[in-house]
Amino acid sequence: MSAPLIALQENIGAELTDAVTSGGGTVVPLDDADALVWKTGPQDFPTLPANVRWVQLGSAGVEQWGDEIAKHPDVTFTSAAGAYSDIIAEHALMMLLAGVRTLPAHLAATSWQNAELADGVGTLRGSTVTIVGAGGIGRSLISMLAPLGVTSIAVNRSGRDVPGATRTVTADELDEVWDDTDHVVIAAPATAETAHIVGADRLHRLKAHSWVVNIARGSLVDTDALVEALRTGTIAGAGLDVTDPEPLPDGHPLWTMRSAMITPHDSNPTGPRTAALARHVEANVARFAAGEPLAAVVDRDAGY
Amino acid sequence: MSAPLIALQENIGAELTDAVTSGGGTVVPLDDADALVWKTGPQDFPTLPANVRWVQLGSAGVEQWGDEIAKHPDVTFTSAAGAYSDIIAEHALMMLLAGVRTLPAHLAATSWQNAELADGVGTLRGSTVTIVGAGGIGRSLISMLAPLGVTSIAVNRSGRDVPGATRTVTADELDEVWDDTDHVVIAAPATAETAHIVGADRLHRLKAHSWVVNIARGSLVDTDALVEALRTGTIAGAGLDVTDPEPLPDGHPLWTMRSAMITPHDSNPTGPRTAALARHVEANVARFAAGEPLAAVVDRDAGY
């Protein structure tokens, strides 16, 4: 079997070029290529010659790619779906840990306030984390929480057991596990069903030590209800990589509450993102070379 | 086999009382007891009646207990050594994650500065963490780092392989692994050998993205050299639960550097500490009930 011939988007960088080579591919111009690796959006996407049978995209979602995919019925498109799960799960873990251990209060201190601070420091150990949306990010997070002595409850569409979770429920059954929940991580797609899935009622039913972490989409949390819950101490805090509205406007109360940690949608930032994409590309090139099924093939009908 | 009769220090709290019962013990007055669970220091420690054969202490170190231990040659003393390893390892993990993901810079922002912040965000995934002192805390940390895709290098006295570490070296061999090190976690006891084990030379040989985390004793890091390394950007940052001097004096430059995260020796704080001690006591009572060897027996000669 000869090495597959892979073309690359111009200026795609050494990391992705190396990934193609490490995966067993040979980098060639587009006119000679079996496949194309394209990192950015559909702007400037080239007309594909007939020899190209596979296009690897750089984004996890492909909402913008409908037209190009329709234009090329004989080409297999693969996304980067799943490639960034571990990176984003790591961010959620960071938020949970910094929250329960009250890092924000510690960073604000400019003297050795052991007596004031130590009583507020908690631990994830022994707690129960409910993960709303147990796709790639959720499953990765569950594996990270296990050695920390955390019980994970998974919430997914099917209710089918997620490996590593003590219990898996559907969104309809969420209230059944809510009273056992110490902390919540939101990792589900934004749909009509999941809008405000964490709203005033559920916030009230959480605990004074609870943290809510959202690394999915802002619309899953009722922002006004969250601000109220933080103001009154109904819950301990929130770690938000996404907000509603987004960007969070200047002067919004969340910016100055010590119980709110905001990261401006950078849980999957440039550096780690490229490294993760490189690992994904390398593995897919190796599969292509071996004639194996590719990972993250875009479903033309479903559009993801 | 009848339930062991266990006396408790006055006002020891429900959590530890429950632990004794859950472990299979019956709580009785000291005069009727086979064993005593004592949470605080040797002040007010009672004269032990002859029926007491075992004393469980609440601290991991027993430096203060030499006199009482000598006074009771026929009594087995157990400490809480190892009981707090997971709690402290969790703190080290929090420091590493908050550091590489630049949480301090994020918390200081009061507007949606995605463009300014995202480039600075890194990941632990793919990095190599060298753990100086691979006792209970180090081993626990290694298990937490594994699902994050981190390579752990362990440094211990014997050089004997630590499970989960890619490589284990002695302190003498530390320089051999230093160039492969992205981040350093210090978890070794304070001895003449380990004083300033992270000093100016080793700081210079770390990387601009490196974090140094110290959850052991302040003396293992050369504080002045660390301040200089942070000031000049030789390394990315430091997470310090312990400092030299300790407490860190008001006005010390570390208090106001964004690249320094200080927690005032509270990696093993009140709440989690009591829960961890309860688990340790429960397990030791169960062992006592079953006639099995107890955990963390104090070596009378070695004094730990």
Side-chain angles (χ1 to χ4, degrees):
Chain A
M1 189 176 47
S2 64
L5 307 175
I6 316 272
L8 296 168
Q9 182 177 13
E10 217 177 325
N11 299 321
I12 201 167
E15 212 161 353
L16 286 165
T17 309
D18 291 350
V20 166
T21 317
S22 306
T26 301
V27 176
V28 298
L30 187 59
D31 283 340
D32 304 326
D34 305 318
L36 170 63
V37 178
W38 188 264
K39 190 182 174 186
T40 64
Q43 302 77 13
D44 307 323
F45 192 72
T47 304
L48 295 180
N51 44 291
V52 171
R53 293 174 288 131
W54 167 42
V55 174
Q56 169 69 54
L57 302 174
S59 60
V62 294
E63 300 84 352
Q64 304 177 290
W65 284 92
D67 289 352
E68 289 295 343
I69 292 171
K71 225 189 277 177
H72 298 98
D74 299 328
V75 175
T76 299
F77 284 79
T78 53
S79 72
Y84 308 125
S85 297
D86 293 334
I87 300 295
I88 299 171
E90 184 190 286
H91 198 82
L93 178 66
M94 186 271 287
M95 293 272 210
L96 285 172
L97 284 170
V100 299
R101 287 191 167 258
T102 63
L103 188 62
H106 284 79
L107 294 181
T110 55
S111 67
W112 194 266
Q113 303 175 5
N114 179 279
E116 293 84 346
L117 290 170
D119 275 353
V121 180
T123 176
L124 280 186
R125 188 158 292 268
S127 70
T128 297
V129 175
T130 293
I131 301 165
V132 179
I137 297 169
R139 289 195 303 272
S140 178
L141 181 59
I142 289 169
S143 76
M144 295 173 182
L145 290 171
L148 293 166
V150 170
T151 299
S152 293
I153 296 176
V155 183
N156 63 15
R157 212 172 278 229
S158 65
R160 219 171 302 140
D161 280 351
V162 172
T166 303
R167 192 173 166 192
T168 305
V169 297
T170 65
D172 287 344
E173 298 164 325
L174 186 52
D175 286 321
E176 290 176 29
V177 299
W178 203 253
D179 292 341
D180 294 331
T181 299
D182 291 299
H183 310 292
V184 180
V185 174
I186 301 168
T191 64
E193 249 188 326
T194 61
H196 287 198
I197 196 165
V198 174
D201 286 352
R202 290 207 171 107
L203 287 166
H204 275 293
R205 289 174 55 208
L206 283 174
K207 301 168 175 69
H209 65 263
S210 296
W211 278 78
V212 172
V213 170
N214 190 359
I215 43 79
R217 288 289 180 267
S219 60
L220 280 78
V221 174
D222 180 339
T223 302
D224 292 342
L226 177 66
V227 168
E228 186 59 19
L230 294 176
R231 218 193 288 274
T232 56
T234 305
I235 64 170
L240 306 175
D241 190 54
V242 290
T243 58
D244 179 22
E246 184 175 315
L248 193 70
D250 287 3
H252 194 282
L254 287 173
W255 282 122
T256 47
M257 299 178 107
R258 188 163 296 158
S259 51
M261 296 188 289
I262 314 285
T263 56
H265 212 140
D266 64 9
S267 67
N268 183 21
T270 328
R273 184 188 178 87
T274 302
L277 180 59
R279 285 189 291 271
H280 182 73
V281 166
E282 177 179 336
N284 249 358
V285 169
R287 289 187 194 99
F288 189 71
E292 290 170 7
L294 298 171
V297 171
V298 175
D299 182 320
R300 289 177 171 275
D301 301 321
Y304 59 82
Chain B
M1 191 175 46
S2 64
L5 307 175
I6 315 273
L8 296 168
Q9 182 176 13
E10 217 179 322
N11 298 321
I12 201 167
E15 211 161 354
L16 286 165
T17 309
D18 290 350
V20 166
T21 317
S22 305
T26 301
V27 176
V28 298
L30 187 59
D31 283 339
D32 305 325
D34 306 317
L36 170 63
V37 178
W38 188 264
K39 190 182 174 184
T40 63
Q43 302 79 12
D44 307 323
F45 192 72
T47 305
L48 294 181
N51 44 292
V52 171
R53 294 174 287 129
W54 166 43
V55 174
Q56 170 69 54
L57 302 174
S59 59
V62 293
E63 300 85 354
Q64 304 177 291
W65 284 91
D67 289 352
E68 289 295 342
I69 292 172
K71 226 188 276 176
H72 299 99
D74 299 328
V75 175
T76 299
F77 283 79
T78 54
S79 73
Y84 308 124
S85 297
D86 293 333
I87 300 294
I88 300 170
E90 185 190 284
H91 198 81
L93 178 65
M94 186 270 287
M95 293 273 210
L96 285 172
L97 284 171
V100 299
R101 287 189 168 260
T102 62
L103 187 62
H106 283 79
L107 294 180
T110 55
S111 68
W112 194 267
Q113 303 174 4
N114 178 279
E116 293 85 345
L117 290 169
D119 275 354
V121 180
T123 176
L124 280 186
R125 188 157 290 270
S127 70
T128 297
V129 175
T130 293
I131 301 163
V132 179
I137 297 169
R139 289 194 304 272
S140 178
L141 181 59
I142 288 169
S143 76
M144 295 174 181
L145 291 171
L148 294 166
V150 171
T151 299
S152 293
I153 296 176
V155 183
N156 63 15
R157 213 172 278 231
S158 65
R160 219 173 301 140
D161 279 353
V162 172
T166 303
R167 191 171 167 194
T168 305
V169 298
T170 64
D172 288 344
E173 297 164 327
L174 186 51
D175 286 320
E176 289 176 30
V177 298
W178 204 254
D179 291 342
D180 294 333
T181 299
D182 291 298
H183 309 293
V184 180
V185 174
I186 300 168
T191 64
E193 248 188 326
T194 61
H196 287 199
I197 195 166
V198 175
D201 285 353
R202 290 208 170 105
L203 287 165
H204 275 293
R205 288 175 55 207
L206 282 175
K207 300 167 175 71
H209 66 262
S210 295
W211 277 79
V212 171
V213 170
N214 190 359
I215 42 78
R217 286 290 180 268
S219 61
L220 280 79
V221 174
D222 180 340
T223 302
D224 292 342
L226 177 66
V227 168
E228 185 60 19
L230 294 177
R231 216 194 288 276
T232 56
T234 305
I235 65 169
L240 306 175
D241 190 55
V242 290
T243 57
D244 179 22
E246 184 175 316
L248 194 68
D250 286 3
H252 194 283
L254 287 173
W255 282 122
T256 48
M257 299 177 107
R258 189 162 295 161
S259 51
M261 296 188 289
I262 313 286
T263 57
H265 212 139
D266 64 9
S267 66
N268 183 21
T270 328
R273 184 188 178 87
T274 301
L277 179 60
R279 285 189 290 272
H280 182 74
V281 166
E282 178 179 337
N284 248 359
V285 169
R287 289 186 194 100
F288 189 71
E292 291 169 8
L294 298 172
V297 172
V298 176
D299 182 321
R300 290 176 171 277
D301 301 321
Y304 59 82

